[in-house]
Amino acid sequence: MKVLVTGAAGFIGMHTTLRLLARGDEVVGIDNLNDYYDVQLKRDRLKQLEPHAAFRFVQMDIADRSGMDRLFAEHRFNRVINLAAQPGVRYSLENPHAYVDSNLVGFVNVLEGCRHHGVEHLVFASSSSVYGANTKMPFSEEDAVDHPVSLYAASKKANELMAHTYSHLYALPTTGLRFFTVYGPWGRPDMSPSLFAGAMLAGRPIDVFNEGKMQRDFTYIDDIVEGVVRVLDKIPAGDPDFDTAQPSPATSYAPFRIYNIGNHEPVELMTFIETIEKAVGKQAVKNMLPMQPGDVHATYADIDALRAAVGFAPSTPLAVGIGKFVAWYKAYYGSRAA
């Protein structure tokens, strides 16, 4: 197939593209290479993709309406995976317009490209952050998610609503994937694994929010990619049993689905830190801080729907995934890591 991957120089985007290329797909990857974090890391990820003859990179922002029109018209993609977005909960408090431009305007451009150019299936990244103020655990796709606690979360909830509209109006098959705290080699430097490992290796203190009294459903990158690719191959159809009197948020009479992708095993933040300490071989100096605005106390994915749909559920143990991440971190950053 010919697949468009937006955000191809990103963490999940690079790994997903590698997996598609390995199975024989042709991939066009786009990314705006913005400076939200180290651009060199993004360029080094692209170096992992560029040797593949079936890969082509286009530097472009999905918010570029005319550029996206031309891209879709030229390539006639079979399927699209939208991973481009302005990430980060805390940064959304500082620069809300970046989230509107990328996550809302950009996503409309992706939807319009799919609509007008016969795309068979759009898979797009949502986020566990949509669960917001919910406290019922584990988080289920059947739960209402109407109380986001950050603009980032609100933008991801909006993506789900926008996608459903296009599934309803234009019969465009769309599937949203709610990722739960993804980690692994080539991960973002602003995420806790890189922040913690880098600080430990350098002997700097780490910031531990909410006194460490948080839980996250940490999910290893290989499991995320496996889920993305399996879902890409499962084009949704309308649910004939959909009840409009009691509508499920996760499915529809239209060709639309929402799935969680998480490890189904929430981990205490202090346990997570201890796991990194063991892999690094150094103990962290901890700077205990209060809860940050926009953060949630816990995430925990119900993955029954994903398992039933594609016969897969994430299962990489935290110690295994962190071991692989720390080995990559030391190899990539070298002397800079100490």
Side-chain angles (χ1 to χ4, degrees):
M1 296 186 296
K2 192 171 192 178
V3 183
L4 170 64
V5 177
T6 72
F11 171 36
I12 301 173
M14 182 207 79
H15 284 280
T16 300
T17 300
L18 281 173
R19 176 63 188 278
L20 294 171
L21 292 167
R23 75 174 195 172
D25 290 333
E26 180 183 354
V27 180
V28 174
I30 68 171
D31 202 292
N32 65 1
L33 297 179
N34 70 24
D35 62 359
Y36 171 68
Y37 62 82
D38 182 17
V39 176
Q40 189 57 49
L41 176 60
K42 299 180 183 183
R43 295 191 186 280
D44 288 341
R45 292 187 188 125
L46 286 175
K47 289 176 184 175
Q48 313 306 305
L49 306 176
E50 287 164 350
H52 295 266
F55 176 72
R56 177 183 171 187
F57 176 66
V58 178
Q59 185 169 344
M60 181 185 297
D61 193 317
I62 60 170
D64 178 352
R65 179 175 172 180
S66 60
M68 292 291 284
D69 286 345
R70 289 192 299 271
L71 185 79
F72 274 90
E74 177 184 351
H75 289 283
R76 300 286 172 174
F77 302 108
N78 300 110
R79 297 179 191 176
V80 174
I81 302 175
N82 183 61
L83 301 171
Q86 176 59 56
V89 169
R90 291 170 195 149
Y91 185 64
S92 68
L93 278 65
E94 302 169 21
N95 190 359
H97 294 287
Y99 293 78
V100 173
D101 293 343
S102 182
N103 301 6
L104 301 181
V105 175
F107 192 60
V108 166
N109 291 338
V110 171
L111 287 167
E112 280 289 280
C114 293
R115 167 199 171 191
H116 289 293
H117 297 285
V119 169
E120 301 166 355
H121 188 194
L122 166 63
V123 174
F124 64 96
S126 185
S127 168
S128 61
S129 66
V130 301
Y131 290 102
N134 290 21
T135 56
K136 172 180 162 286
M137 298 285 175
F139 292 150
S140 168
E141 301 95 334
E142 299 295 328
D143 299 335
V145 287
D146 296 326
H147 298 89
V149 295
S150 71
L151 184 64
Y152 171 71
S155 73
K156 288 300 186 178
K157 166 69 171 174
N159 286 172
E160 296 179 1
L161 299 174
M162 294 157 71
H164 182 268
T165 302
Y166 273 67
S167 296
H168 162 74
L169 290 173
Y170 310 114
L172 170 66
T174 64
T175 302
L177 300 176
R178 293 174 178 168
F179 297 144
F180 280 69
T181 316
V182 190
Y183 74 98
W186 297 99
R188 280 170 34 204
D190 62 315
M191 296 292 284
S192 59
S194 288
L195 293 173
F196 290 169
M200 289 176 199
L201 287 164
R204 299 190 307 270
I206 64 171
D207 290 338
V208 181
F209 295 106
N210 198 38
E211 306 290 321
K213 297 170 185 173
M214 294 194 289
Q215 292 183 323
R216 290 292 181 269
D217 202 341
F218 294 100
T219 313
Y220 189 61
I221 183 62
D222 289 358
D223 288 334
I224 291 287
V225 170
E226 181 69 23
V228 170
V229 173
R230 289 200 187 201
V231 166
L232 181 69
D233 293 338
K234 185 172 182 61
I235 300 176
D239 180 358
D241 298 321
F242 185 78
D243 184 357
T244 53
Q246 293 181 306
S248 162
T251 184
S252 176
Y253 54 84
F256 168 87
R257 281 306 309 262
I258 294 291
Y259 297 109
N260 290 333
I261 299 189
N263 213 47
H264 190 64
E265 190 174 331
V267 174
E268 295 279 353
L269 181 57
M270 298 308 291
T271 301
F272 180 69
I273 292 169
E274 290 167 8
T275 306
I276 298 178
E277 287 175 329
K278 289 175 184 175
V280 169
K282 290 188 177 183
Q283 195 161 13
V285 179
K286 302 174 185 70
N287 181 26
M288 309 304 275
L289 295 170
M291 189 79 164
Q292 293 292 286
D295 271 356
V296 297
H297 285 91
T299 64
Y300 179 8
D302 182 331
I303 50 174
D304 289 348
L306 179 72
R307 186 186 286 114
V310 298
F312 171 76
S315 61
T316 302
L318 182 67
V320 172
I322 287 296
K324 292 180 178 179
F325 164 75
V326 169
W328 166 81
Y329 189 94
K330 288 179 176 178
Y332 179 76
Y333 288 103
S335 62
R336 293 174 289 165

